[in-house]
Amino acid sequence: MDTGVEEDGEQDGDAPAGISFWSVVLSTLAAAIGVQSKANKQRDFASGRVAPFIVAGLIFTALFVVVLVVVVRLVIGLATG
């Protein structure tokens, strides 16, 4: 009897189960501050897709730089004003 599920757990015609959006976000934040658990790191590598992590890393870096620039300008403005 064909259930539509192959031996490796994938359904016929479907892409492999990917990692969720929130998992990518949390993994990116954890990696940024250096507290990524070994289990989460293995899950991330097992997903087989690197693009979501690269995109999340680039977005995180851009947001981090923007926040730093805003905070520095705010502090300088308060110090001179």
Side-chain angles (χ1 to χ4, degrees):
M1 181 166 108
D2 184 22
T3 61
V5 178
E6 296 176 7
E7 285 184 24
D8 60 0
E10 296 176 18
Q11 292 187 356
D12 294 337
D14 289 346
I19 191 164
S20 73
F21 170 77
W22 291 113
S23 293
V24 172
V25 170
L26 292 176
S27 288
T28 302
L29 294 176
I33 61 173
V35 296
Q36 181 75 301
S37 72
K38 188 174 184 176
N40 286 347
K41 184 176 74 169
Q42 290 175 342
R43 180 203 63 212
D44 295 345
F45 281 104
S47 74
R49 294 179 48 208
V50 70
F53 296 100
I54 292 173
V55 171
L58 291 173
I59 291 171
F60 174 81
T61 302
L63 289 174
F64 182 73
V65 169
V66 168
V67 167
L68 284 179
V69 168
V70 169
V71 168
V72 167
R73 287 186 179 187
L74 180 65
V75 169
I76 290 173
L78 291 173
T80 59

